């Protein structure tokens, strides 16, 4: 794949991977992107996962023709991108590693040596001329590790964005970008909204025609859309109005309540209502939907005097990613001691700017007239404010 006359794609698609980062389901695979810039000097942008050493080195050799690389720019040390640094340096003994001081320490930790005589340490904002192309390094700490930097090529106006703007799925997977990019962003970088905002501010002054991330497709069109989504996600703003109902159910009674609430909301005209059975759905999708929509209802049973395990995991996933700025309602179920509304509320205490619904639904074993009336109250409260907007 050609990015420009001088920049070629040399990454790989991983179609056999089951869990990315050991936890995220990726039914459409994953790509580990790498690029080469062929100028008077030749720069390679990152390596790929250890499972693809030979394919990547072959891709690189083919792109180089008779030339040899001068630099390996290491933007990120997570092994899905850095695993082949030592192999590269062995294959190309004249090449130098371009990185920052934090990267050097990690290279030593991963490879047992820091290749001191082969380092070119760059500072934030520093330039490196390749000839026609000048690379500017933009530190992006915690997007998604502390050593991360992005790289801007002012000639072809390409932002090499490291993990930023990546998405699950092979680079050529024929899927809309937004959903798998959101699941990727919220899952992996969601905790670091402030740091992403800082990078977006730095990027504002750059003229960008192409975003070349380390995962997923190279973005060449409609960049304002992708940047705007990153701005929404990293500022924890609402992307779409709607209600997510996340539930766990043992014998189906809590599920019935969740589904009845969904029906009532839809009947009231709410356009977006999303149900997630937390024991069976992809947890990372449920979490990313909670960040996508404006309102969330948590419905769960009491179990061992506490919250049912999958709901515990879900709420923990929200809290550790900085969930905030949303409306939250509760449905609790317990045959002799329903206590989970209070406990879920407590788990969410550190989340900023949550509006908690006044109408909590308490079910004792199964829905009855009283708890159904409470559901009506919760439905009405969730719909309030949407009467004029068409929901
Ligand atoms: Fe794709 Fe943070 O590694």
């Amino acid at each position: 794949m050609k990015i420009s006359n001088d920049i070629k794609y040399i990454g790989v698609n991983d179609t056999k991977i089951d869990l990315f980062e050991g936890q995220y389901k990726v039914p459409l695979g994953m790509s580990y992107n790498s690029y080469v810039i062929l100028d008077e000097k030749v720069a390679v942008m990152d390596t790929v996962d250890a499972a693809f050493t030979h394919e990547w080195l072959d891709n690189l050799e083919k792109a180089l023709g008779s030339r040899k690389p001068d630099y390996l720019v290491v933007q990120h040390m997570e092994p899905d991108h850095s695993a082949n640094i030592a192999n590269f340096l062995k294959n190309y003994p004249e090449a130098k590693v371009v990185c920052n001081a934090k990267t050097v320490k990690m290279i030593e930790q991963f490879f047992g040596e820091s290749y001191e005589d082969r380092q070119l340490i760059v500072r934030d904002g520093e330039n490196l001329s390749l000839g026609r192309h000048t690379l500017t390094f933009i530190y992006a700490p915690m997007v998604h590790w502390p050593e991360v930097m992005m790289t801007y090529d002012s000639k072809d106006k390409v932002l090499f964005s490291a993990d930023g703007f990546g998405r699950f799925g092979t680079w050529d997977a024929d899927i809309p970008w937004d959903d798998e990019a959101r699941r990727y962003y919220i899952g992996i970088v969601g905790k670091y909204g402030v740091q992403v905002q800082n990078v977006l501010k730095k990027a504002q002054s750059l003229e960008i025609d192409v975003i070349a991330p380390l995962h997923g497709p190279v973005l060449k069109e409609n960049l304002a859309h992708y940047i705007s989504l990153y701005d929404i996600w990293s500022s924890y703003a609402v992307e779409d109005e709607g209600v997510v109902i996340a539930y766990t159910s043992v014998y189906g009674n809590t599920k019935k309540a969740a589904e009845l609430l969904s029906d009532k909301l839809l009947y009231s005209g709410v356009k977006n209502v999303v149900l997630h059975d937390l024991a069976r759905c992809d947890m990372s999708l449920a979490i990313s939907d909670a960040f996508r929509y404006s309102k969330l209802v948590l419905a769960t049973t009491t179990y061992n005097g506490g919250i049912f395990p999958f709901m515990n995991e879900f709420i923990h996933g929200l809290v550790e990613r900085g969930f905030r700025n949303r409306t939250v309602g509760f449905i609790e179920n317990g045959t002799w001691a329903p206590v989970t509304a209070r406990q879920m509320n407590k788990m969410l205490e550190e989340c900023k700017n949550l509006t908690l619904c006044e109408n909590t639904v308490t079910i004792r074993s199964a829905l009855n007239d009283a708890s159904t009336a409470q559901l009506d109250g919760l439905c009405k409260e969730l719909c309030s404010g949407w009467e004029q907007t068409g929901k």
Side-chain angles (χ1 to χ4, degrees):
M1 194 208 318
K2 203 165 118 179
I3 312 300
S4 71
N5 282 339
D6 298 330
I7 305 176
K8 290 180 182 164
Y9 181 85
I10 55 166
V12 297
N13 273 338
D14 185 349
T15 54
K16 297 206 167 71
I17 184 172
D18 57 348
L19 296 175
F20 180 67
E21 284 194 353
Q23 59 171 317
Y24 298 102
K25 290 176 187 155
V26 282
L28 297 169
M30 201 68 205
S31 73
Y32 313 114
N33 297 343
S34 171
Y35 308 89
V36 61
I37 308 171
L38 296 154
D39 197 344
E40 289 163 29
K41 300 273 188 189
V42 175
V44 176
M45 308 300 294
D46 295 290
T47 80
V48 299
D49 186 87
F52 296 89
T53 302
H54 295 295
E55 186 178 336
W56 176 69
L57 286 172
D58 286 352
N59 289 349
L60 173 57
E61 205 179 307
K62 204 167 154 196
L64 288 171
S66 57
R67 302 193 64 186
K68 298 283 180 216
D70 299 278
Y71 304 113
L72 172 64
V73 178
V74 177
Q75 301 187 108
H76 185 13
M77 275 305 293
E78 196 164 8
D80 50 337
H81 312 295
S82 69
N84 285 294
I85 291 175
N87 290 325
F88 173 89
L89 291 175
K90 196 171 154 202
N91 267 25
Y92 300 105
E94 305 297 319
K96 283 201 180 314
V97 171
V98 179
C99 62
N100 59 57
K102 284 186 178 143
T103 316
V104 168
K105 193 161 168 33
M106 292 185 185
I107 289 178
E108 190 168 5
Q109 288 172 196
F110 275 110
F111 296 101
E113 59 175 310
S114 64
Y115 302 97
E116 203 174 342
D117 55 333
R118 303 190 56 185
Q119 299 165 5
L120 179 62
I121 306 285
V122 291
R123 293 184 307 276
D124 188 24
E126 192 169 334
N127 293 333
L128 175 67
S129 172
L130 304 178
R132 298 179 300 281
H133 295 255
T134 298
L135 302 182
T136 304
F137 302 100
I138 303 160
Y139 282 18
M142 300 319 296
V143 188
H144 121 254
W145 280 15
E147 85 299 357
V148 169
M149 58 185 194
M150 299 183 182
T151 307
Y152 178 66
D153 167 28
S154 52
K155 179 180 177 294
D156 290 340
K157 300 182 174 44
V158 179
L159 178 68
F160 296 94
S161 56
D163 274 341
F165 298 95
R167 72 136 167 74
F168 293 131
T170 56
W171 67 263
D172 52 353
D174 188 15
I175 49 169
W177 186 85
D178 298 9
D179 290 345
E180 283 298 78
R182 183 190 307 103
R183 191 167 70 89
Y184 170 91
Y185 174 87
I186 299 296
I188 291 168
V189 197
K191 180 180 168 67
Y192 304 110
V194 171
Q195 291 85 346
V196 175
Q197 281 281 309
N198 289 340
V199 176
L200 289 176
K201 279 190 197 105
K202 284 188 192 179
Q204 265 174 4
S205 59
L206 304 174
E207 205 180 322
I208 301 170
D209 286 347
V210 178
I211 296 177
L214 288 175
H215 299 290
V218 172
L219 306 172
K220 294 183 172 179
E221 287 166 3
N222 210 8
L223 298 191
H225 170 73
Y226 306 120
I227 292 169
S228 141
L229 281 179
Y230 256 61
D231 188 33
I232 289 170
W233 297 338
S234 58
S235 59
Y236 304 93
V238 169
E239 184 182 339
D240 287 309
E241 293 294 342
V243 183
V244 174
I245 305 171
Y247 69 91
T248 63
S249 190
V250 182
Y251 295 106
N253 289 303
T254 312
K255 180 180 181 180
K256 257 186 206 161
E259 288 176 345
L260 183 58
L261 177 62
S262 168
D263 290 346
K264 286 175 184 294
L265 288 165
L266 290 168
Y267 186 74
S268 303
V270 179
K271 287 194 192 94
N272 296 313
V273 181
V274 182
L275 275 165
H276 283 294
D277 175 350
L278 297 176
R280 292 173 179 82
C281 71
D282 179 340
M283 187 65 80
S284 69
L285 179 60
I287 289 173
S288 69
D289 272 344
F291 280 83
R292 174 178 180 176
Y293 292 105
S294 51
K295 302 185 182 183
L296 172 67
V297 174
L298 303 170
T300 197
T301 43
T302 305
Y303 194 77
N304 285 333
I307 300 166
F308 198 75
F310 296 101
M311 181 59 80
N312 244 326
E313 184 187 338
F314 178 68
I315 298 176
H316 183 70
L318 296 179
V319 173
E320 71 177 359
R321 287 169 178 81
F323 187 69
R324 66 189 76 171
N325 304 336
R326 301 293 189 276
T327 296
V328 181
F330 301 104
I331 300 174
E332 61 181 359
N333 191 354
T335 295
W336 65 93
V339 292
T340 53
R342 183 169 41 82
Q343 292 176 346
M344 290 190 287
N345 195 334
K346 188 155 182 53
M347 278 187 84
L348 291 168
E349 260 175 4
E350 66 183 84
C351 297
K352 294 176 189 160
N353 195 26
L354 294 186
T355 304
L356 302 178
C357 293
E358 286 171 10
N359 290 272
T360 290
V361 179
T362 298
I363 303 164
R364 287 189 176 266
S365 308
L367 277 172
N368 59 15
D369 288 349
S371 47
T372 302
Q374 289 176 341
L375 270 183
D376 284 326
L378 178 58
C379 176
K380 197 167 170 204
E381 190 175 355
L382 289 165
C383 291
S384 69
W386 279 343
E387 291 83 359
Q388 274 80 43
T389 63
K391 298 161 184 164

